[in-house]
Amino acid sequence: AQRVTQPEKLLSVFKGAPVELKCNYSYSGSPELFWYVQYSRQRLQLLLRHISRESIKGFTADLNKGETSFHLKKPFAQEEDSAMYYCALLGSNYKLTFGKGTLLTVNP
Amino acid sequence: ETGVTQSPTHLIKTRGQQVTLRCSSQSGHNTVSWYQQALGQGPQFIFQYYREEENGRGNFPPRFSGLQFPNYSSELNVNALELDDSALYLCASSLWGQAYNEQFFGPGTRLTVL
């Protein structure tokens, strides 16, 4: 079975502060992990994927297989980062499993 | 390039009825996945279609069924609606074989079952 856990339902930080959104997963195979984001009144969209090792909008995420984690980080949060963030795992049966999401609010 | 579209945007049905939701893939995409998103939850995978065949399925009963057409558009059918079927239904399209299987989501159809 594959499972994604996002322990924080809500996260509130001030502009300029570092932010870390936690994601832990359970999967017996080699995971492909993603972060999706949904801004207010917009559709769900891909933010980044672990295999690319890319930085999008200042966000990075490192896959830690030992801790089975894929936390999303940004050193200096901006107000426009306020959104719902979902961690997702792609399993071998093409099934994309999402966590319950974390609502990030960046206060001015 | 045309994005993923879904219809209708909202729908109200009563328990026991049947419903059909529609999705048009993004231009150039040949794979469609459907998700159910209950209030306060993340999207839950229902199934995926590729080459007009079901290609993977989540933990949903057989009364959830789908179709994919030659133009890659898709339908989600739900029979014998239950109150718990009330949710946002999301469709996502992708290109089979594309690295990392990035999925592009539609705006969703909000289904309310009374």
Side-chain angles (χ1 to χ4, degrees), chain B residues 3-103:
Chain B
V4 178
T5 60
Q6 292 185 243
S7 63
T9 52
H10 296 88
L11 203 51
I12 299 175
K13 292 284 188 178
T14 55
R15 198 168 47 181
Q17 285 188 309
Q18 178 265 342
V19 69
T20 298
L21 310 181
R22 294 178 175 83
C23 171
S24 290
S25 302
Q26 180 164 309
S27 177
H29 285 177
N30 55 15
T31 304
V32 174
S33 302
W34 285 92
Y35 297 85
Q36 181 195 67
Q37 187 173 20
L39 207 57
Q41 304 293 317
Q44 269 198 290
F45 177 76
I46 302 175
F47 42 52
Q48 182 183 84
Y49 276 82
Y50 170 63
R51 289 186 174 178
E52 303 175 46
E53 289 191 1
E54 190 180 286
N55 193 46
R57 190 178 182 95
N59 296 327
F60 282 82
R63 60 188 184 85
F64 284 79
S65 63
L67 285 172
Q68 187 183 31
F69 300 101
N71 66 353
Y72 307 122
S73 66
S74 177
E75 285 182 356
L76 164 65
N77 298 289
V78 187
N79 293 322
L81 282 167
E82 300 177 0
L83 297 179
D84 283 350
D85 296 334
S86 295
L88 180 69
Y89 288 84
L90 296 169
C91 162
S93 73
S94 55
L95 184 60
W96 184 264
Q98 181 190 43
Y100 323 131
N101 200 36
E102 178 176 354
Q103 298 190 15

Side-chain angles (χ1 to χ4, degrees), chain A residues 34 43 51 86 94 96 100, chain B residues 4 37 41 55 100 105:
Chain A
F34 307 81
R43 58 187 69 187
I51 199 82
Y86 294 97
Y94 315 107
L96 192 61
K100 292 187 178 181
Chain B
V4 178
Q37 187 173 20
Q41 304 293 317
N55 193 46
Y100 323 131
F105 283 82

Side-chain angles (χ1 to χ4, degrees), chain A residues 59-91:
Chain A
F59 284 98
T60 58
D62 288 320
L63 176 61
N64 185 324
K65 291 188 178 180
E67 295 182 0
T68 58
S69 68
F70 187 56
H71 302 328
L72 183 68
K73 299 177 185 178
K74 184 169 183 176
F76 308 104
Q78 303 299 315
E79 289 180 67
E80 55 265 30
D81 296 329
S82 295
M84 193 73 177
Y85 290 81
Y86 294 97
C87 182
L89 181 153
L90 183 67

